[in-house]
């Protein structure tokens, strides 16, 4: 199962996290977030851990500029981005790969989920996203620290693999392992493992990973 740790920015904290070999580490480029990255940490990432830039309703030009500046592997779109937006971003990256053998970035589209969420809304995104992320609908764009009812995941009939997010803590490993959806591939953790915004409890993440895998 894949583990994505989001909302990182402290150099020493990231170095400690990388010893646990997470699949993804997320950096938030949304100025209104308490975890906004003002000074991107200069650290060598192992090949197996992918750097993810999290954006909220940002212009494609700024997303691309940030990706190139910090050599990001994925972008996570956590706002109200349309399928057309995802298509334009995908086509831009795909065209670069064709003409220059550039390793194009992956795209993760986040959806805010509550009991009324219609999973059919994800269909229009499926051709342009590597993963979906299902997070709890709240006042903020992520980091609300609460869960939605995971039972409704059964309403998702798509084949695009998804990550589960929203209020996950170290105590949830057993319940997560009960999710048998064929497209469920991993979790996105953030506020449930924080000492303070953007500073993670590495020991709790280690315990969670050991219980999950």
């Amino acid at each position: 199962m894949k583990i994505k740790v989001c909302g990182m920015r402290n150099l020493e904290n990231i170095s400690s996290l990388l010893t646990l070999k997470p699949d993804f580490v997320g950096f938030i480029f949304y100025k209104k977030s308490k975890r906004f990255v003002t000074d991107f940490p200069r650290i060598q990432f192992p090949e197996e851990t992918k750097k993810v830039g999290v954006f909220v309703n940002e212009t494609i030009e700024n997303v691309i500029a940030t990706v190139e500046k910090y050599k990001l592997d994925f972008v996570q779109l956590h706002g109200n981005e349309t399928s057309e937006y995802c298509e334009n971003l995908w086509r831009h990256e795909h065209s670069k790969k064709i003409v220059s053998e550039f390793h194009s970035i992956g795209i993760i589209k986040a959806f805010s989920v509550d009991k009324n969420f219609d999973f059919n809304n994800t269909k229009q995104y499926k051709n342009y996203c590597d993963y979906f992320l299902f997070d709890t609908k709240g006042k903020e764009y992520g980091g609300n620290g609460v869960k939605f009812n995971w039972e409704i995941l059964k309403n998702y009939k798509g084949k695009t693999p998804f990550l589960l997010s929203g209020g996950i803590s170290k105590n949830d490993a057993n319940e997560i392992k009960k999710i048998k959806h064929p497209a469920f591939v991993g979790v996105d953790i953030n506020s449930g493992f924080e000492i303070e915004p953007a500073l993670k409890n590495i020991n709790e993440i280690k315990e969670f990973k050991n219980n999950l895998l």
Side-chain angles (χ1 to χ4, degrees), residues 103-122:
H103 178 67
S104 59
I105 56 169
I107 298 175
I108 303 169
K109 180 66 185 87
F111 296 91
S112 298
V113 178
D114 61 10
K115 63 181 181 179
N116 299 315
F117 182 74
D118 184 356
F119 284 92
N120 287 323
N121 292 337
T122 65

Side-chain angles (χ1 to χ4, degrees), residues 49-86:
T49 299
K50 305 304 181 185
K51 292 180 288 185
V52 183
V54 180
F55 302 89
V56 175
N57 302 328
E58 187 57 84
T59 65
I60 288 180
E61 291 76 16
N62 285 345
V63 170
I64 292 169
T66 305
V67 166
E68 294 179 348
K69 182 177 182 180
Y70 299 121
K71 310 300 182 189
L72 302 178
D73 302 296
F74 279 81
V75 297
Q76 178 177 312
L77 306 174
H78 216 102
N80 303 314
E81 298 87 4
T82 64
S83 59
E84 289 79 12
Y85 179 105
C86 293

Side-chain angles (χ1 to χ4, degrees), residues 85-127:
Y85 179 105
C86 293
E87 180 181 0
N88 290 335
L89 181 59
W90 181 88
R91 290 190 183 282
H92 178 276
E93 292 300 314
H94 191 65
S95 65
K96 286 199 301 183
K97 185 175 183 179
I98 291 173
V99 299
S100 65
E101 297 184 355
F102 175 84
H103 178 67
S104 59
I105 56 169
I107 298 175
I108 303 169
K109 180 66 185 87
F111 296 91
S112 298
V113 178
D114 61 10
K115 63 181 181 179
N116 299 315
F117 182 74
D118 184 356
F119 284 92
N120 287 323
N121 292 337
T122 65
K123 290 181 179 179
Q124 58 191 314
Y125 293 85
K126 65 179 182 180
N127 292 331

